[in-house]
Amino acid sequence: MQFQGTDQYVATDDLKMAVNAAIALQRPLLIKGEPGTGKTLLAEQVAEALGKPLLAWHIKSTTKAQQGLYEYDAVSRLRDSQLGADGVEDVSNYIKKGKLWEAFAADEQVVLLIDEIDKADIEFPNDLLQELDRMEFFVYETGETVRAAKRPIVIITSNNEKELPDAFLRRCFFHYINFPDAQTMMKIVDVHFPDIKQELVSEALEIFFDLRKVPGLKKKPSTSELIDWLKLLLADDIPDDVLRNRDTKKAIPPLYGALVKNEADVQLLERLAFMNRRER
């Protein structure tokens, strides 16, 4: 069982090697990289390429590790007991299974995505150490132990908002997705826009990478933002010579709102353009 990428996802040799190594070692694959470099999409494409179901657990700042296992609704049980409802004696009626329980209980091997783990509290990864290591956990309310019927392929993403604990890192296979170079980016664009004019792509990529090189930029445009920008350029039927012969006195490229995401960066680009005009 080898991941070799898909028609919709351009995976580098290093990334394919990392996915296959994590599967062989039966360890979670921890993926880091800039936002917009395809970390979440990777899990979807691994599931599609290997013909496995995908279970996605998207982490928020309020998410607790216990929610990935199960949640016991004691309040509802108490209310139902006061109302004399049927089934109150069966505590399992008030247990909501989490994504890890679903993955462990699945009849076939699944791909489990734990997305943006660094959004949660710092203790969140530590609270999942034993469950991800042993692939089992104990349900105190029912007295049962839930074990993985088929060990899931676990892919964990992080945007580096918080440092992850060493004990957690030791249990993972790690890969950092480097930002694509121009050649790889061209392949990614071809996947999304197979019929796009290469002249337009060439000019757009030059502007895009020049923008990323601007010193002091708070938010560099990402791959997903480049795709959005190209989609707008095509929708507005902007000819490639508009990009090639663009007025350098203008601060920012056409339809810049797809690339530049805050007013500080807009003001920075305007200042740079003003200085460029002064020098001329």
Side-chain angles (χ1 to χ4, degrees):
M1 185 170 58
Q2 294 281 309
F3 173 67
Q4 297 298 333
T6 68
D7 293 339
Q8 291 78 42
Y9 191 90
V10 177
T12 63
D13 290 340
D14 286 347
L15 180 56
K16 288 184 280 190
M17 188 182 301
V19 172
N20 293 321
I23 293 173
L25 291 172
Q26 295 187 328
R27 288 191 177 275
L29 173 62
L30 174 62
I31 295 289
K32 291 187 179 183
E34 282 186 37
T37 48
K39 300 185 295 296
T40 301
L41 185 59
L42 172 65
E44 299 172 8
Q45 295 305 310
V46 168
E48 180 179 326
L50 301 181
K52 308 286 185 184
L54 174 69
L55 290 176
W57 185 18
H58 300 288
I59 307 303
K60 301 177 181 179
S61 59
T62 56
T63 304
K64 302 298 180 186
Q66 181 64 33
Q67 294 171 311
L69 308 179
Y70 68 92
E71 292 181 273
Y72 170 52
D73 192 349
V75 175
S76 292
R77 191 182 187 198
L78 175 61
R79 183 196 62 224
D80 288 350
S81 66
Q82 292 171 339
L83 296 174
D86 294 334
V88 176
E89 65 284 352
D90 187 355
V91 68
S92 64
N93 291 330
Y94 300 91
I95 290 179
K96 179 183 177 182
K97 296 177 181 178
K99 293 297 182 182
L100 266 72
W101 190 329
E102 291 180 28
F104 289 2
D107 293 331
E108 59 179 315
Q109 187 181 46
V110 304
V111 175
L112 173 63
L113 167 65
I114 304 178
D115 196 28
E116 297 188 328
I117 194 171
D118 52 323
K119 278 188 175 179
D121 184 85
I122 190 62
E123 290 302 321
F124 181 93
N126 280 333
D127 292 341
L128 289 177
L129 284 180
Q130 296 301 321
E131 289 77 9
L132 290 176
D133 202 22
R134 298 181 180 178
M135 287 291 158
E136 66 177 39
F137 62 89
F138 185 70
V139 184
Y140 293 95
E141 289 76 9
T142 63
E144 65 177 310
T145 298
V146 177
R147 293 186 179 87
K150 298 284 186 180
R151 191 178 186 98
I153 298 169
V154 181
I155 297 178
I156 303 170
T157 71
S158 169
N159 287 326
N160 256 348
E161 291 183 11
K162 294 189 187 81
E163 287 295 327
L164 299 175
D166 288 345
F168 180 80
L169 295 175
R170 282 198 300 271
R171 288 166 168 81
C172 299
F173 189 92
F174 171 75
H175 182 75
Y176 185 88
I177 298 181
N178 290 308
F179 196 83
D181 57 21
Q183 186 177 3
T184 304
M185 191 66 82
M186 185 79 78
K187 294 178 182 177
I188 293 171
V189 170
D190 286 343
V191 166
H192 290 272
F193 308 104
D195 299 322
I196 194 171
K197 291 187 294 183
Q198 293 305 305
E199 294 84 359
L200 175 62
V201 177
S202 233
E203 296 299 328
L205 286 182
E206 183 178 342
I207 294 173
F208 174 76
F209 280 105
D210 283 348
L211 190 57
R212 282 183 56 86
K213 292 175 185 174
V214 172
L217 208 65
K218 293 182 68 175
K219 166 77 173 67
K220 294 181 180 181
S222 67
T223 307
S224 59
E225 287 156 348
L226 170 64
I227 299 303
D228 287 344
W229 186 48
L230 285 171
K231 192 180 298 182
L232 287 174
L233 292 176
L234 290 173
D236 283 11
D237 200 22
I238 294 180
D240 52 281
D241 63 334
V242 170
L243 299 182
R244 187 186 311 116
N245 303 318
R246 65 190 184 279
D247 185 358
T248 55
K249 294 180 182 178
K250 291 188 177 179
I252 39 186
L255 301 169
Y256 69 86
L259 297 173
V260 185
K261 298 298 185 176
N262 63 66
E263 64 278 9
D265 286 344
V266 173
Q267 292 167 4
L268 172 63
L269 293 175
E270 288 174 341
R271 286 197 302 272
L272 291 174
F274 174 75
M275 293 170 63
N276 185 47
R277 291 197 299 271
R278 291 283 299 271
E279 289 174 1
R280 292 189 178 199

